[in-house]
């Protein structure tokens, strides 16, 4: 009877909570600025491994090599993945030349005192090129010695039977779950990402990570509705109609909590793209970034107010509409800001910086036309109103 009671008690216990997933971070910047060094130092306690961009082969076939801060990276004491980016639209894949350049970069890292724990190949090739890519990896791996070989993988490869051979040729893989769809569908879709992860878990026998976004992008469309340029960590000079894609911190925090509660088989960690810096205006703020890494509650504090339009407005009729985020986390821009005014002499107004002024039966409001985030501790001028009377004659309300 005692044995039966013990067995019943064991069966009734709550299952042990799943351990938090380890967190890798991509360092994708080509220039090692003071802001980048500060971001690495601040983030390092929460980071398991650094994926550091070492070289990039452009669509033209020209290499761009990146010289990282060897002393700083070595000082972190964390495993380093030397990441080589190969443009997926590369017309001719010269396997021998690419291998020679990569091995030279590995040796250069070793000479600088930062022997990589792994070489990561980031090649978003078309599915039809998977056999060629797999053969390249199989030839490269024995030449790396004790350095592991890892690859990034696209969801578009999941339907191909050739994916199994590619994954078997590497020691580890990272499934890219952001910026893989038509930009019209956004930067990140949590439901699709979960489906891709479940499918990927069935295809690989190796440990794997999932790459998640901590940034935004600006997509420029040409006159025919095609993509003229995508601007993320580096600005472009392309003109045309543009739209902003944003990875929402709250959405990503919820997604991480969900996959930690119910981890797909083989998933060992998250690879965040990319480490944010003060120089990178489309990445999250450092305070938001650290809150997500540390699984802390995100605390935004959006406020809207009128501001003095400054000199040259002797009659005081022109007022600027300003959004403030006094919180410690980045906040999504509100979709609507209602302007309730009863002042006499209403004569004009408009939205700016992603807002336009419109009217309905209730009166005027500012409507968001360009998605975005307001970083913690910053402000944005979003409109102006010309109205005779005192400041108390008009009020602003978010989200109505």
């Amino acid at each position: 009877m005692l044995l039966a009671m013990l067995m019943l008690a064991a069966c009734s216990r709550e299952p042990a909570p799943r351990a938090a997933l380890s967190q890798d971070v991509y360092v994708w910047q080509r220039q090692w600025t003071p802001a980048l060094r500060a971001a690495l130092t601040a983030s390092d306690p929460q980071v398991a491994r650094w994926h550091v961009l070492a070289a990039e082969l452009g669509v033209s076939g020209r290499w761009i090599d990146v010289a990282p801060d060897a002393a700083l990276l070595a000082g972190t004491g964390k495993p380093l993945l030397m990441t080589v980016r190969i443009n997926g639209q590369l017309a001719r894949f010269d396997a021998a030349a690419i291998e020679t350049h990569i091995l030279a970069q590995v040796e250069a890292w070793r000479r600088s005192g930062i022997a990589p724990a792994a070489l990561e190949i980031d090649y978003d090739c078309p599915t039809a090129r998977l056999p060629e890519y797999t053969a390249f990896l199989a030839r490269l791996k024995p030449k790396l010695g004790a350095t592991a070989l890892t690859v990034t993988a696209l969801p578009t490869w999941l339907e191909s039977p050739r994916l199994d051979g590619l994954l078997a040729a590497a020691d580890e893989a990272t499934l890219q779950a952001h910026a893989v769809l038509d930009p019209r569908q956004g930067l990140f879709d949590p439901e699709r990402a979960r489906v891709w992860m479940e499918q990927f878990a069935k295809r690989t026998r190796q440990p794997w990570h999932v790459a998640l976004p901590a940034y935004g992008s600006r997509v420029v469309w040409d006159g025919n509705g095609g993509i003229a340029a995508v601007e993320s960590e580096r600005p472009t000079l392309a003109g045309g109609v543009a739209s902003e894609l944003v990875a929402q911190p709250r959405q990503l925090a919820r997604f991480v909590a969900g996959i930690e509660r119910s981890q797909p088989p083989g998933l060992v960690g998250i690879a965040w793209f990319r480490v944010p810096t003060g120089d990178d205006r489309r990445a999250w703020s450092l305070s938001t970034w650290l809150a997500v890494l540390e699984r802390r509650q995100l605390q935004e504090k959006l406020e809207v107010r009128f501001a003095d339009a400054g000199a040259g407005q002797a009659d005081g009729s022109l007022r600027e509409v300003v959004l403030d985020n006094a919180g410690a986390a980045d906040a999504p821009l509100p979709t609507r800001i209602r302007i309730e005014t009863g002042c006499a002499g209403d004569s004009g107004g408009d939205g700016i910086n992603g807002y336009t002024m419109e009217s309905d039966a209730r009166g005027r409001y500012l409507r968001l036309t360009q998605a975005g985030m307001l970083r913690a501790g910053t402000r944005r001028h979003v409109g102006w109103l010309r109205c005779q009377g005192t400041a108390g004659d008009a009020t602003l309300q978010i989200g109505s």
Side-chain angles (χ1 to χ4, degrees), residues 212-286:
L212 300 178
Y215 69 99
S217 291
R218 177 176 178 264
V219 180
V220 182
W221 310 92
D222 61 26
N224 298 319
I227 299 175
V230 177
E231 178 181 318
S232 290
E233 67 274 10
R234 293 184 292 272
T236 67
L237 300 178
V241 179
S243 59
E244 295 283 343
L245 307 180
V246 180
Q248 301 286 356
R250 280 192 178 276
Q251 182 187 61
L252 269 299
R254 288 194 299 268
F255 183 79
V256 169
I259 61 175
E260 285 188 331
R261 287 193 301 269
S262 179
Q263 296 175 16
L267 179 67
V268 294
I270 299 162
W272 290 101
F273 186 92
R274 58 195 181 266
V275 60
T277 74
D279 301 326
D280 188 348
R281 68 187 185 91
R282 285 195 169 84
W284 296 348
S285 68
L286 190 57

Side-chain angles (χ1 to χ4, degrees), residues 112-167:
S112 69
I114 47 172
L119 167 69
E120 180 179 47
I121 307 295
D122 179 29
Y123 180 33
D124 295 347
C125 69
T127 305
R129 283 192 167 184
L130 288 180
E132 176 186 39
Y133 184 23
T134 301
F136 168 76
L137 295 173
R139 290 191 301 268
L140 176 63
K141 191 175 189 307
K143 300 176 183 179
L144 295 175
T147 303
L149 177 63
T150 76
V151 295
T152 59
L154 294 178
T156 52
W157 299 348
L158 288 167
E159 300 302 320
S160 172
R162 292 165 174 168
L163 176 59
D164 301 327
L166 174 74
L167 296 176

Side-chain angles (χ1 to χ4, degrees), residues 194-362:
R194 185 73 199 209
V195 170
W196 292 333
M197 292 172 67
E198 292 171 354
Q199 292 174 342
F200 192 75
K202 297 175 182 178
R203 300 296 299 275
T204 182
R205 297 181 181 275
Q206 308 284 19
W208 59 283
H209 288 67
V210 60
L212 300 178
Y215 69 99
S217 291
R218 177 176 178 264
V219 180
V220 182
W221 310 92
D222 61 26
N224 298 319
I227 299 175
V230 177
E231 178 181 318
S232 290
E233 67 274 10
R234 293 184 292 272
T236 67
L237 300 178
V241 179
S243 59
E244 295 283 343
L245 307 180
V246 180
Q248 301 286 356
R250 280 192 178 276
Q251 182 187 61
L252 269 299
R254 288 194 299 268
F255 183 79
V256 169
I259 61 175
E260 285 188 331
R261 287 193 301 269
S262 179
Q263 296 175 16
L267 179 67
V268 294
I270 299 162
W272 290 101
F273 186 92
R274 58 195 181 266
V275 60
T277 74
D279 301 326
D280 188 348
R281 68 187 185 91
R282 285 195 169 84
W284 296 348
S285 68
L286 190 57
S287 61
T288 300
W289 163 250
L290 292 176
V292 173
L293 289 186
E294 297 167 6
R295 311 294 192 265
R296 289 188 280 109
Q297 183 178 1
L298 296 172
Q299 296 181 335
E300 313 101 338
K301 189 179 180 182
L302 270 185
E303 298 174 345
V304 61
R305 60 182 175 84
F306 285 114
D308 186 356
Q313 300 296 325
D315 61 357
S317 63
L318 183 62
R319 301 167 194 174
E320 295 182 344
V321 182
V322 178
L323 269 175
D324 286 309
N325 183 1
D330 304 346
L333 293 173
T335 58
R336 184 172 295 196
I337 300 172
R338 175 69 58 180
I339 302 171
E340 297 180 354
T341 174
C343 54
D346 245 355
S347 58
D350 203 354
I352 56 175
N353 292 328
Y355 283 86
T356 185
M357 184 171 286
E358 297 181 354
S359 299
D360 59 14
R362 291 180 54 190

